[in-house]
Amino acid sequence: MENYDYLIMLKQRDNIILTKTEHFGDRIIKLYQYLTDVKHEYVMSKQILRSGTSIGANVAESRNAQGPKDFISKLNIALKEADETHYWLGSLYRADYMTQPQYESMHSDNDEIIRILTSIIKTMKERNQ
């Protein structure tokens, strides 16, 4: 593998993980607005805003990685943020700040992002052994 072939994975215009994390970040922002404006919840909503938008920020940052190890590292950070977001979604649902349909929709999107990130990281590690 050429030194910078790994960047092709995230530099494509219609890249699925970039698109999905951007859209998910938009949904997280709307969830935050709903939680603060309608439910008057300010602590967990701030936590999920930070972790949920950080996923896409780290995926975007990975496009400027200095090498395969840096690329994998940034995607690992995105994966950790997605895991944290999973935690906050569950907490908000169990505390009755989200309806079941709201939770299931957000959880499904987040779970898909986790699966895609895990697959990319695994593939990149295998290619760079």
Side-chain angles (χ1 to χ4, degrees), residues 75-89:
L75 290 186
N76 269 318
I77 294 168
L79 180 59
K80 288 177 184 181
E81 295 294 340
D83 284 338
E84 181 179 344
T85 300
H86 174 83
Y87 172 83
W88 292 118
L89 285 170

Side-chain angles (χ1 to χ4, degrees), residues 1-8 68 124 128:
M1 174 183 254
E2 294 283 326
N3 256 351
Y4 295 101
D5 283 352
Y6 65 93
L7 290 175
I8 293 170
M124 290 306 300
N128 289 289

Side-chain angles (χ1 to χ4, degrees), residues 11-26:
K11 286 203 176 198
Q12 296 170 355
R13 181 177 225 166
D14 297 320
N15 187 284
I16 192 165
I17 193 63
L18 287 170
T19 302
K20 287 192 179 293
T21 56
E22 285 174 2
H23 290 290
F24 187 72
D26 294 344

